[in-house]
């Protein structure tokens, strides 16, 4: 830390992203990326002609892409907000809607960025414990008088809650923003975005990073009432109006046009998930039911950190946390069938080695 850092940030603990090794070739099952490349249409769309326009700023309103997304989700263009990854949107939402007098609540086991954003903006937060087997109890969020952030499916567990449960939370917190982070919704959960017409306090956040194979392009979007979207734009235009680059915008438009390709990939991931869970069960693993492109699993005989390290030494990267209530689990991204077979093979070796 330099002596110049503002005292506001002296004790801030930054988020630790999953490893992105640039040296050795790993089978990467650690950051929930898609194993599938972008669609052929996306690859064709990013042409030399588009690259040659990089001397010009991109459209800060992202009109053309917003129009396509609005058509896909059958919402108004004024209900769509786009930004540089959904992390950017979460950051803007914490900034826009929370403060000392408007605290926030989220599950105690969830996306690790939520407490980081709260601390960054000096927002008091409540981490609400999950119930047995990491189940989220909607009652715990009803009428709590705070803004609420819930990942659905939750990360790193993969568990979902229903639209009816979300609606219960929304009705009982009408004066607070309820942000549903649907980064993994396309892999099996039921999106609640249709409720944005009825609940002006609902903000739904999704990403192109997971189901749409565009993690490297950095693009997230939010769906919400016109008023909430205007608030997010106020923050965006007060920080970096050009936060989506031209090439990402072109790629994303082609991605929306090839929606069928991505939805078919999601079905393949769901099949590979079921396959992996079944094989792991045969090997003595207990896995939390998941609707996401990852699973949260543990083995009675091997500790989570030992599994993580042994897999890494064998060329497979998964994610592991040292927090006491989840330290015996590993989170494994669901990849292609070949990747999952390679993972299972290494697991068998590890179990044999004891
Ligand atoms: C629950 C959740 N929300 C949001 C994100 C951020 O995704 P991105 O910024 O790539 O859109 C992630 C990424 O892993 C996530 O797990």
């Amino acid at each position: 830390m330099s002596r110049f850092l503002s005292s506001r940030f002296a004790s801030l603990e930054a988020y630790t992203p999953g490893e992105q090794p640039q040296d050795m070739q790993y089978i990467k099952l650690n950051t929930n990326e898609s194993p599938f490349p972008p669609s052929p249409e996306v690859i064709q769309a990013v042409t030399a002609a588009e690259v040659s326009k990089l001397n010009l700023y991109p459209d800060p309103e992202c009109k053309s892409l917003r129009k396509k997304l609005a058509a896909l989700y059958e919402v108004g263009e004024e209900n769509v907000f786009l930004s540089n990854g959904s992390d950017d949107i979460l950051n803007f939402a914490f900034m826009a809607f929370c403060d000392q007098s408007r605290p926030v609540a989220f599950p105690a086991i969830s996306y690790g960025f939520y407490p980081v954003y709260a601390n960054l903006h000096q927002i008091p937060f409540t981490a609400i414990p999950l119930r047995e087997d990491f189940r989220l109890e909607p009652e715990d969020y009803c009428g709590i008088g705070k803004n609420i952030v819930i990942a659905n499916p939750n990360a790193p567990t993969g568990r979902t809650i229903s639209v009816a449960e979300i609606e219960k939370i929304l009705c009982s917190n009408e004066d607070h923003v309820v942000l549903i982070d649907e980064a993994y919704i396309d892999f099996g959960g039921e999106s609640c975005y249709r409720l944005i017409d009825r609940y002006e306090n609902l903000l739904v956040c999704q990403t192109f990073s997971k189901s749409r194979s565009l993690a490297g392009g950095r693009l997230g979007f939010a769906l919400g009432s016109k008023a909430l979207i205007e608030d997010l734009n106020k923050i965006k235009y007060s920080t970096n109006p050009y936060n989506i680059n031209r090439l990402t915008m072109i790629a994303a438009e082609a991605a929306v046009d090839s929606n069928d390709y991505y939805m078919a990939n999601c079905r393949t991931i769901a099949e590979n998930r079921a396959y992996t869970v079944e094989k792991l069960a045969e090997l003595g693993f207990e896995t939390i039911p998941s609707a996401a492109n990852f699973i949260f699993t543990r083995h009675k005989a091997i500790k989570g950190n030992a599994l993580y390290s042994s897999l890494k030494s064998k060329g497979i990267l998964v994610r592991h946390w040292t927090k006491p209530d989840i330290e015996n689990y590993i989170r494994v991204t669901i990849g292609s069938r070949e990747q999952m077979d390679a993972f299972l093979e290494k697991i068998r070796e590890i179990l044999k080695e004891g």
Side-chain angles (χ1 to χ4, degrees):
M1 189 192 334
S2 85
R3 62 198 165 89
F4 305 106
L5 182 69
S6 160
S7 57
R8 290 191 322 244
F9 305 124
S11 61
L12 179 67
E13 220 177 287
Y15 177 73
T16 312
E19 295 160 90
Q20 304 294 352
Q22 307 294 322
D23 51 345
M24 179 181 152
Q25 283 295 315
Y26 286 97
I27 294 183
K28 264 190 100 270
L29 305 178
N30 67 329
T31 47
N32 301 339
E33 290 141 321
S34 173
F36 304 110
S39 71
E41 290 84 344
V42 168
I43 291 166
Q44 277 159 22
V46 184
T47 58
E50 292 299 337
V51 173
S52 73
K53 293 183 203 156
L54 284 178
N55 56 318
L56 302 173
Y57 283 111
D59 170 15
E61 291 181 48
C62 314
K63 273 200 212 84
S64 171
L65 177 54
R66 250 183 334 117
K67 194 169 174 181
K68 277 186 191 287
L69 272 175
L72 180 66
Y73 289 97
E74 298 174 325
V75 297
E77 288 165 43
E78 68 283 7
N79 300 117
V80 183
F81 177 79
L82 286 151
S83 211
N84 193 287
S86 53
D87 281 339
D88 214 29
I89 303 180
L90 293 168
N91 183 34
F92 287 175
F94 274 77
M95 231 194 284
F97 306 118
C98 307
D99 56 34
Q100 283 288 331
S101 62
R102 266 176 293 214
V104 62
F106 40 76
I109 295 169
S110 193
Y111 186 34
F113 234 135
Y114 304 153
V116 176
Y117 289 131
N119 287 329
L120 175 66
H121 301 297
Q122 296 168 350
I123 301 159
F125 68 87
T126 308
I128 299 184
L130 294 173
R131 301 293 187 97
E132 75 294 340
D133 289 337
F134 307 118
R135 188 179 60 82
L136 185 152
E137 173 53 60
E139 284 296 331
D140 295 344
Y141 295 81
C142 286
I144 60 170
K146 293 180 167 73
N147 290 328
I148 292 169
V149 180
I150 291 175
N152 187 39
N154 197 10
T157 66
R159 275 194 178 277
T160 47
I161 54 172
S162 68
V163 172
E165 288 172 316
I166 291 171
E167 192 161 9
K168 246 169 94 176
I169 296 171
L170 280 164
C171 321
S172 69
N173 289 289
E174 276 178 352
D175 295 328
H176 296 90
V177 174
V178 177
L179 191 164
I180 304 294
D181 178 352
E182 294 188 347
Y184 301 102
I185 199 71
D186 292 330
F187 299 102
E190 189 192 353
S191 176
C192 65
Y193 78 87
R194 288 204 168 79
L195 298 177
I196 63 168
D197 283 346
R198 272 186 284 145
Y199 297 93
E200 66 161 355
N201 58 331
L202 171 63
L203 190 68
V204 181
C205 204
Q206 293 197 13
T207 178
F208 277 63
S209 296
K210 315 293 179 183
S211 57
R212 291 191 169 93
S213 303
L214 218 57
R218 310 305 300 127
L219 185 69
F221 63 100
L223 304 176
S225 62
K226 183 167 178 273
L228 287 187
I229 301 301
E230 277 171 5
D231 295 341
L232 290 176
N233 272 315
K234 191 170 202 169
I235 304 292
K236 164 169 156 160
Y237 279 80
S238 305
T239 47
N240 180 5
Y242 301 117
N243 65 355
I244 299 169
N245 73 75
R246 279 179 168 271
L247 299 183
T248 293
M249 217 134 34
I250 292 289
E253 284 186 37
V256 176
D257 289 341
S258 35
N259 199 45
D260 292 350
Y261 165 85
Y262 294 106
M263 295 308 120
N265 287 347
C266 289
R267 288 192 289 278
T268 306
I269 294 292
E271 283 163 23
N272 294 351
R273 182 177 66 212
Y275 169 80
T276 309
V277 169
E278 189 188 317
K279 296 287 169 201
L280 283 174
E282 289 166 15
L283 297 170
F285 278 80
E286 279 171 28
T287 304
I288 302 297
S290 170
N293 68 337
F294 55 82
I295 50 171
F296 206 44
T297 190
R298 69 172 170 187
H299 194 276
K300 15 184 195 321
I302 312 179
K303 293 218 175 305
N305 61 349
L307 265 175
Y308 160 81
S309 315
S310 305
L311 282 165
K312 187 170 179 182
S313 70
K314 291 174 186 290
I316 310 252
L317 274 186
V318 298
R319 194 92 198 253
H320 172 256
W321 288 269
T322 51
K323 243 177 139 176
D325 27 6
I326 56 171
E327 67 180 351
N328 277 332
Y329 286 81
I330 54 169
R331 190 195 68 188
V332 185
T333 302
I334 301 298
S336 64
R337 184 60 72 97
E338 295 70 32
Q339 288 177 319
M340 299 329 289
D341 278 332
F343 161 75
L344 290 162
E345 195 45 48
K346 299 299 175 193
I347 289 282
R348 284 187 199 100
E349 280 178 27
I350 293 166
L351 291 175
K352 245 188 237 151
E353 289 159 11

